[in-house]
Amino acid sequence: MDWTLAEIIEQVRAYNDRRRRECQQLARIAYGESGMIAVRFGGKGQQIPEIWEVFPFWTDEEVREFRVEKYRRIMEKYAATGGGTRA
């Protein structure tokens, strides 16, 4: 009963953030399961959407970090295979 408004707001924000992280974990499980089902029953060559496109539990900054990491891995793999250099 003796909390300030700022403390109450901070508690609400902390609860919302904790709940968002819990939902992210559940989304990762559901995404993995749906990926297994898609591979088993889906047509060949179909691309599975990224997890952040399907579940809304990520902030714009987190999505940006995921995309940067995804493209960094692609470029590292490309560079490791020769990166388009001609022999």
Side-chain angles (χ1 to χ4, degrees), residues 7-70:
E7 290 172 329
I8 293 170
I9 290 171
E10 186 61 32
Q11 287 296 315
V12 169
R13 287 184 180 152
Y15 171 79
N16 288 339
D17 191 50
R18 183 174 56 248
R19 186 73 182 123
R20 184 179 60 82
R21 286 192 310 268
E22 289 171 0
C23 289
Q24 285 178 344
Q25 292 299 327
L26 292 173
R28 286 184 177 105
I29 294 168
Y31 181 76
E33 290 176 355
S34 64
M36 289 187 298
I37 292 169
V39 167
R40 175 64 178 99
F41 297 109
K44 295 191 186 258
Q46 290 183 340
Q47 181 101 10
I48 299 172
E50 297 294 339
I51 191 169
W52 60 82
E53 295 171 352
V54 181
F55 296 100
F57 304 118
W58 282 266
T59 63
D60 291 339
E61 181 62 30
E62 290 171 326
V63 170
R64 194 171 313 128
E65 289 173 12
F66 284 141
R67 286 185 174 148
V68 167
E69 180 64 23
K70 174 185 173 183

